[in-house]
Amino acid sequence: MSIAVIYGSTRENGNTEWLTEEAVSGVPVEKFYLREYNILPIKDERHTNAGFQEVLDDYNHLIGRILMHDVFIFATPVYWYSMSGTMKLFIDRWSQTLRDKNYPDFKESLAKKSAYVIAVGGDKPAIKALPMIQQFQYICDYFGMALEGYVIGKASKPGEIQGDAKAIAAARQLRETLLQHL
Amino acid sequence: MSIAVIYGSTRENGNTEWLTEEAVSGVPVEKFYLREYNILPIKDERHTNAGFQEVLDDYNHLIGRILMHDVFIFATPVYWYSMSGTMKLFIDRWSQTLRDKNYPDFKESLAKKSAYVIAVGGDKPAIKALPMIQQFQYICDYFGMALEGYVIGKASKPGEIQGDAKAIAAARQLRETLLQHL
Amino acid sequence: MSIAVIYGSTRENGNTEWLTEEAVSGVPVEKFYLREYNILPIKDERHTNAGFQEVLDDYNHLIGRILMHDVFIFATPVYWYSMSGTMKLFIDRWSQTLRDKNYPDFKESLAKKSAYVIAVGGDKPAIKALPMIQQFQYICDYFGMALEGYVIGKASKPGEIQGDAKAIAAARQLRETLLQHL
Amino acid sequence: MSIAVIYGSTRENGNTEWLTEEAVSGVPVEKFYLREYNILPIKDERHTNAGFQEVLDDYNHLIGRILMHDVFIFATPVYWYSMSGTMKLFIDRWSQTLRDKNYPDFKESLAKKSAYVIAVGGDKPAIKALPMIQQFQYICDYFGMALEGYVIGKASKPGEIQGDAKAIAAARQLRETLLQHL
């Protein structure tokens, strides 16, 4: 079992990364920081004659590497009650990969993967991030990918997450689960 | 009462725009097509010493113009069960405007506005777009802005929305409401 | 196509009934007012040796009659952001019917039916009744029953629903749909 | 700080009670098993001339005792993706207490309390019980009561909850929180 951590945060070493580290410390993972890549907004060309045109950014290379893993951990700060725009740009592009001849088995491939979400927000995330969790579930359902769990932390200022005992306990519980499945 | 329609679609004359047109035809509105603007992902610098750095894109000009209106209609296709990345990039940047000295009254200003959402999706949007509606509500709640209503349409291929009698009826109902409040 | 309207309200001729009447006026339906029946809370005996014991109330007779229809319209006031307790008692008992030898095809039978929800609430139901709609969807998903639509009205005092133009338009739209499918 | 555990389960020593016990073992609490009380469905008489009529069941006595506590733990099995009908009957009656001259400060009283939800379901409760959590949040919001947290466990057959390490960890975390606040 091979694990990709997909980071949607826009600052380094923020609360989301700290909490995620609690979940993956000592677990072999490959980390992808989406902010380090140039990912353009999707342009919906599903229904044009020519279909999707090649986009000259880092997405195709990135998705290729991520797909080599069996488990995806989506680690995102909660921006305006949903995933960061940085994360959303990445996921929106999946619509293009679904029609990309270079990835003829994209959907089938995702059906075999499992996913986790780790999210940190500042405004009552235990309640207000739930729609985002439901959206991740719908995304997973679309592909037949199993959403195995999620951890929601509460923090805003740098370091604040270290006071969220509940989230830390949940992250450590997730770590045990990941270690058992290695 | 002055109305801004904020379009998050990435293709021209798509289903979202068609349905929105049902709601605003004959109503004086200013239309903003986010895809025509260069809006970069927010970089979270809330907690750096220097604070947010100026970003050289079209956002600041755009938000200035949008803020001149009293009513916002967010018209977005449903991409992966939430607003388009294009729309999300725009809204994420509000975190920056909240701390922008050029907009000292941003929050108070939004508290006086009202909002509507028009969304079109292909995969059971009457159910699967509801988390997105809840997120728009949370966004509005944050500012004290009134989310006055929403219309959800079902369509995927170009033109398909014209067969969604339920959404068309709701859009026309919204149009009557807008006309009454002019 | 035969339609059962299942009323969960506890007062006669209330807002929920008025709105539902907009949707079914002139449509042949059989109306079931749950308040007129004695339906006891389920007692979870799924895992006892003896299984569910017969309950001497009106439920079994009622479910038998309702099952003779093809379409269920659940018409419920929104009590504390979900269906009325009266409606919930009725639905909870489905767990018993699922194991009732007199209804060996209960699940398969429901899989062939379609459902609508009509709900009226007083406290921002367009947003705060959405979790209830999601629950009805999950219930329908369990059985493979199609949740074809829902109408949410806003009203509290008697008669107030008559001012909710949006809900009335949606109810009339539903009526057209029902008439087309007769 | 005084704690009331309000049980909505209909069988003794079920999974919900077991998980709740993990959260309150060694914590002084008063336990209320709603199934042991006769609580009738509310009859909506808010708008009749005479108002709510006295109901001859156990509710009034029960709510009086529960209100003597500062913290409410709602412990309910997930029946059809929401709280048990037994729990719903209890909460529905709050509409009556809100207008009961014997409880003139009911709303103000609840505003000072805090609440937790412990729920156990069999069908993907980590996702499918979220609408119920949102409903509890809305209920708490109505009164200004703080929903401090929730624990969701997965189990169906008797004893199965003992294998849900994630829920057990969360329940124990809640126990620490409760002990700290005593």
Side-chain angles (χ1 to χ4, degrees):
Chain A
M1 196 190 70
S2 163
I3 302 175
V5 182
I6 303 163
Y7 282 109
S9 7
T10 65
R11 71 176 180 220
E12 283 182 56
N13 301 316
N15 288 307
T16 304
E17 290 181 30
W18 191 92
L19 183 61
T20 304
E21 196 55 37
E22 289 291 300
V24 303
S25 121
V27 181
V29 301
E30 186 175 6
K31 299 178 185 179
F32 300 90
Y33 298 91
L34 296 179
R35 65 176 174 270
E36 298 177 351
Y37 299 86
N38 178 34
I39 301 177
L40 295 174
I42 196 170
K43 191 170 168 203
D44 181 1
E45 299 169 318
R46 285 175 298 162
H47 308 289
T48 58
N49 288 333
F52 280 105
Q53 297 305 293
E54 203 181 337
V55 179
L56 296 174
D57 64 2
D58 300 330
Y59 171 79
N60 278 330
H61 175 64
L62 183 64
I63 192 69
R65 283 176 60 202
I66 289 175
L67 283 171
M68 299 173 84
H69 296 280
D70 308 306
V71 177
F72 296 169
I73 298 178
F74 297 97
T76 183
V78 182
Y79 285 177
W80 295 107
Y81 314 105
S82 60
M83 65 180 81
S84 69
T86 298
M87 179 72 87
K88 188 61 170 37
L89 289 182
F90 171 70
I91 287 182
D92 275 4
R93 290 288 291 284
W94 290 11
S95 300
Q96 187 161 359
T97 309
L98 273 167
R99 291 157 187 87
D100 187 335
K101 291 177 185 167
N102 296 310
Y103 295 98
D105 301 323
F106 182 56
K107 196 167 183 179
E108 294 71 17
S109 158
L110 286 190
K112 292 173 197 148
K113 301 189 191 296
S114 56
Y116 294 88
V117 175
I118 298 176
V120 178
D123 182 14
K124 285 196 173 186
I127 292 296
K128 296 187 179 178
L130 297 185
M132 180 186 74
I133 298 298
Q134 293 175 318
Q135 289 164 337
F136 271 109
Q137 179 67 54
Y138 285 141
I139 293 169
C140 289
D141 284 349
Y142 178 87
F143 290 100
M145 178 163 45
L147 180 58
E148 298 287 358
Y150 55 86
V151 177
I152 298 174
K154 183 178 185 326
S156 184
K157 293 182 191 161
E160 213 172 357
I161 189 65
Q162 299 175 39
D164 185 346
K166 189 158 50 177
I168 293 170
R172 288 180 182 166
Q173 184 62 39
L174 171 52
R175 183 171 171 276
E176 284 185 36
T177 303
L178 294 174
L179 287 170
Q180 280 167 18
H181 286 78
L182 279 184
Chain B
M1 196 191 67
S2 162
I3 302 176
V5 182
I6 304 164
Y7 281 109
S9 6
T10 66
R11 71 175 180 222
E12 282 182 57
N13 301 318
N15 289 306
T16 304
E17 290 180 28
W18 191 93
L19 183 60
T20 304
E21 197 54 38
E22 289 290 301
V24 302
S25 123
V27 182
V29 301
E30 186 175 6
K31 299 179 184 178
F32 299 90
Y33 298 91
L34 295 180
R35 65 174 175 271
E36 298 177 351
Y37 298 87
N38 177 33
I39 301 177
L40 296 174
I42 196 169
K43 192 171 169 201
D44 181 0
E45 299 169 318
R46 286 175 298 163
H47 308 290
T48 57
N49 288 334
F52 279 104
Q53 298 305 295
E54 203 182 335
V55 179
L56 296 174
D57 62 3
D58 301 330
Y59 171 78
N60 278 329
H61 175 65
L62 183 63
I63 191 71
R65 283 176 60 203
I66 289 176
L67 283 172
M68 299 173 83
H69 296 279
D70 308 307
V71 176
F72 296 170
I73 298 178
F74 296 97
T76 183
V78 182
Y79 285 178
W80 295 108
Y81 313 105
S82 59
M83 66 180 80
S84 69
T86 298
M87 180 71 88
K88 189 60 168 41
L89 289 183
F90 171 70
I91 287 183
D92 275 5
R93 290 289 289 285
W94 290 10
S95 299
Q96 186 161 358
T97 309
L98 274 167
R99 291 159 187 84
D100 187 335
K101 291 176 185 167
N102 296 311
Y103 295 98
D105 301 322
F106 183 56
K107 196 167 182 177
E108 292 71 18
S109 158
L110 287 190
K112 292 173 197 149
K113 302 187 190 300
S114 57
Y116 294 88
V117 175
I118 298 176
V120 178
D123 181 15
K124 286 196 172 184
I127 292 295
K128 296 188 178 178
L130 297 185
M132 181 186 74
I133 299 299
Q134 293 174 317
Q135 290 165 337
F136 271 108
Q137 179 66 54
Y138 286 142
I139 293 169
C140 290
D141 284 348
Y142 178 87
F143 290 100
M145 178 164 41
L147 180 59
E148 297 287 357
Y150 55 86
V151 177
I152 297 174
K154 182 178 186 328
S156 183
K157 292 182 192 159
E160 213 173 355
I161 189 65
Q162 299 174 40
D164 185 346
K166 188 157 50 175
I168 292 169
R172 288 179 183 168
Q173 184 62 40
L174 171 53
R175 183 172 170 275
E176 285 185 35
T177 303
L178 294 174
L179 287 170
Q180 280 168 17
H181 286 76
L182 278 184
Chain C
M1 196 190 68
S2 163
I3 302 176
V5 182
I6 304 163
Y7 281 110
S9 7
T10 65
R11 70 175 180 221
E12 281 182 57
N13 301 317
N15 289 306
T16 303
E17 290 180 29
W18 191 92
L19 183 61
T20 304
E21 197 53 38
E22 289 291 300
V24 303
S25 122
V27 181
V29 301
E30 187 175 6
K31 300 178 186 179
F32 300 91
Y33 298 91
L34 296 179
R35 66 176 174 269
E36 297 176 351
Y37 299 87
N38 178 34
I39 302 177
L40 296 174
I42 195 169
K43 191 169 169 204
D44 181 1
E45 299 169 318
R46 286 176 298 165
H47 308 288
T48 57
N49 287 334
F52 279 104
Q53 297 305 294
E54 203 181 336
V55 179
L56 296 174
D57 62 3
D58 301 330
Y59 172 78
N60 278 329
H61 175 64
L62 183 64
I63 191 71
R65 283 177 59 203
I66 289 176
L67 283 171
M68 298 174 86
H69 296 280
D70 308 307
V71 177
F72 296 170
I73 298 178
F74 296 97
T76 183
V78 182
Y79 285 178
W80 295 108
Y81 313 106
S82 60
M83 66 180 81
S84 69
T86 298
M87 180 71 89
K88 189 60 169 39
L89 289 182
F90 170 70
I91 287 183
D92 275 5
R93 290 288 290 285
W94 289 10
S95 299
Q96 186 161 358
T97 309
L98 274 166
R99 291 159 187 84
D100 187 335
K101 290 176 186 169
N102 296 311
Y103 295 98
D105 300 322
F106 183 56
K107 195 168 182 177
E108 292 71 17
S109 158
L110 287 190
K112 292 173 197 150
K113 303 188 190 299
S114 57
Y116 294 89
V117 175
I118 298 176
V120 177
D123 181 14
K124 286 196 172 184
I127 291 295
K128 295 188 179 178
L130 298 185
M132 181 187 75
I133 298 299
Q134 294 175 317
Q135 289 164 338
F136 271 109
Q137 179 66 55
Y138 285 141
I139 293 169
C140 289
D141 284 349
Y142 179 87
F143 290 100
M145 178 163 43
L147 180 59
E148 297 286 358
Y150 55 86
V151 177
I152 297 174
K154 182 176 185 328
S156 184
K157 293 181 191 160
E160 212 173 356
I161 189 65
Q162 299 175 39
D164 185 347
K166 189 158 49 175
I168 292 169
R172 288 180 183 167
Q173 185 61 40
L174 170 53
R175 183 173 171 274
E176 285 185 36
T177 303
L178 294 174
L179 287 170
Q180 280 168 18
H181 286 77
L182 279 184
Chain D
M1 195 190 69
S2 163
I3 302 174
V5 182
I6 304 162
Y7 281 109
S9 8
T10 65
R11 72 177 180 219
E12 282 182 56
N13 301 316
N15 288 307
T16 303
E17 290 180 31
W18 191 92
L19 183 61
T20 304
E21 197 54 39
E22 288 291 301
V24 303
S25 122
V27 182
V29 301
E30 187 175 6
K31 300 179 184 177
F32 299 91
Y33 297 91
L34 296 179
R35 66 176 173 269
E36 298 177 351
Y37 299 86
N38 178 34
I39 301 177
L40 295 174
I42 196 169
K43 191 169 169 205
D44 182 1
E45 299 169 319
R46 285 175 298 164
H47 309 289
T48 57
N49 288 334
F52 280 105
Q53 298 305 293
E54 204 182 336
V55 179
L56 296 174
D57 63 3
D58 301 330
Y59 172 78
N60 278 330
H61 175 65
L62 183 64
I63 192 70
R65 283 175 60 201
I66 289 176
L67 284 171
M68 299 174 82
H69 296 279
D70 308 306
V71 176
F72 296 170
I73 298 178
F74 297 97
T76 183
V78 183
Y79 284 178
W80 296 108
Y81 314 105
S82 60
M83 66 180 81
S84 69
T86 298
M87 179 72 88
K88 188 60 169 38
L89 290 182
F90 170 69
I91 287 183
D92 275 5
R93 290 288 291 284
W94 290 11
S95 300
Q96 187 161 358
T97 309
L98 274 166
R99 292 158 186 86
D100 187 335
K101 291 176 185 167
N102 296 310
Y103 295 98
D105 301 322
F106 183 55
K107 196 167 181 179
E108 294 69 19
S109 158
L110 286 190
K112 293 174 195 147
K113 302 189 190 298
S114 56
Y116 294 88
V117 175
I118 298 176
V120 178
D123 182 14
K124 285 197 173 185
I127 292 296
K128 296 187 179 178
L130 297 185
M132 180 186 75
I133 298 298
Q134 293 175 318
Q135 289 164 338
F136 271 109
Q137 178 67 54
Y138 286 140
I139 293 169
C140 289
D141 284 349
Y142 178 87
F143 290 100
M145 178 164 44
L147 180 59
E148 297 286 357
Y150 55 86
V151 177
I152 297 174
K154 183 178 186 326
S156 185
K157 292 181 193 163
E160 213 173 356
I161 190 63
Q162 299 176 40
D164 185 347
K166 189 158 49 176
I168 293 169
R172 289 179 181 166
Q173 185 62 40
L174 171 53
R175 184 171 171 275
E176 285 185 34
T177 303
L178 295 174
L179 287 170
Q180 280 168 18
H181 286 77
L182 279 184

